Amino acid sequence: MPGQGGASLFFGTLEKDLYALDAASGNLKWKFKAGGAILTTPIVYKGKIYFGAFDGNLYAVNIDSRDKGLPFPAQDEWVYKAGDWIWTGPVRDNGTLYFATTRGKVHAISVLNGQPVWPQPFQISSSFRSNPVIYKNNLIIASEEGRIYSLSLADGQMKWASPSSMGAAILADLAINEDTVYIYTQGQTLYALDANTGMQ
């Protein structure tokens, strides 16, 4: 699903372009060239668009600066160099963005300047291709190999991990309702876990 901001519609492409369209007419307002394919859903917050790309960067693009055609990076624009392909997120909680990479790292960075919030990224050996969800003070995320992790939003420390793999790869985004997180696997099975404990 594209991200929306005011009267514009924003979406990325495999050709490395972030497009801004007039939401009413569909006319092109501008496009921004990243360094790699854009598979993440952009999010809009306080006049900026945040998205990851396959060049290993997470971008913060100022809508007003792009409307004016200013050279990038203009004021309040920045690039965070994660170093690995970004397929997930980002998701936001207050002033922090959370996203993961295909080499198993979960990052937390400030929306203001792209500086890391956690002492270091959370790291596993599998890749991440499924968008995480936020539950209370935790980030719940699924690895491609089929395990689910709950991480503290504050410092990235693991609260729990699912006792075993779901038995198949996880590519679909997670969903949450009240205290239950739902996971759909490539084995065509839907699982429901307790968001507080990770128990099925």
Side-chain angles (χ1 to χ4, degrees):
M1 295 289 292
Q4 291 189 7
S8 298
L9 183 72
F10 306 105
F11 63 92
T13 71
L14 292 173
E15 286 73 35
K16 309 178 184 180
D17 293 308
L18 177 75
Y19 283 86
L21 304 184
D22 183 275
S25 67
N27 292 332
L28 177 67
K29 299 178 76 172
W30 49 262
K31 65 178 179 178
F32 172 86
K33 179 69 75 173
I38 304 169
L39 273 73
T40 62
T41 300
I43 63 172
V44 179
Y45 179 63
K46 291 188 175 180
K48 286 195 284 190
I49 310 164
Y50 301 91
F51 65 95
F54 274 18
D55 59 354
N57 295 327
L58 190 128
Y59 292 84
V61 174
N62 187 293
I63 296 172
D64 184 60
S65 297
R66 296 307 99 220
D67 286 343
K68 294 176 180 177
L70 300 178
F72 180 85
Q75 184 176 4
D76 294 332
E77 296 183 318
W78 48 261
V79 175
Y80 174 80
K81 299 182 182 301
D84 307 320
W85 285 9
I86 302 172
W87 203 307
T88 78
V91 296
R92 182 187 63 82
D93 182 72
N94 295 319
T96 303
L97 298 170
Y98 302 89
F99 67 95
T101 74
T102 55
R103 290 191 177 178
K105 289 184 179 180
V106 183
H107 297 263
I109 61 175
S110 168
V111 298
L112 296 178
N113 53 23
Q115 293 300 304
V117 172
W118 293 344
Q120 59 186 15
F122 176 77
Q123 174 82 65
I124 63 169
S125 59
S126 179
S127 65
F128 291 106
R129 292 174 60 183
S130 168
N131 279 3
V133 292
I134 291 174
Y135 173 73
K136 296 181 178 178
N137 295 317
N138 304 303
L139 182 79
I140 300 178
I141 190 165
S143 68
E144 186 177 358
E145 70 181 357
R147 293 196 73 188
I148 316 300
Y149 300 86
S150 179
L151 311 177
S152 166
L153 293 181
D155 57 14
Q157 293 298 305
M158 188 174 70
K159 296 290 190 68
W160 55 257
S162 57
S164 60
S165 168
M166 300 291 104
I170 300 174
L171 305 182
D173 297 340
L174 301 185
I176 193 161
N177 182 50
E178 296 182 349
D179 297 326
T180 303
V181 59
Y182 298 92
I183 304 104
Y184 184 73
T185 74
Q186 292 295 94
Q188 300 183 352
T189 303
L190 179 68
Y191 291 88
L193 301 186
D194 185 318
N196 291 292
T197 64
M199 297 303 296
Q200 186 172 321

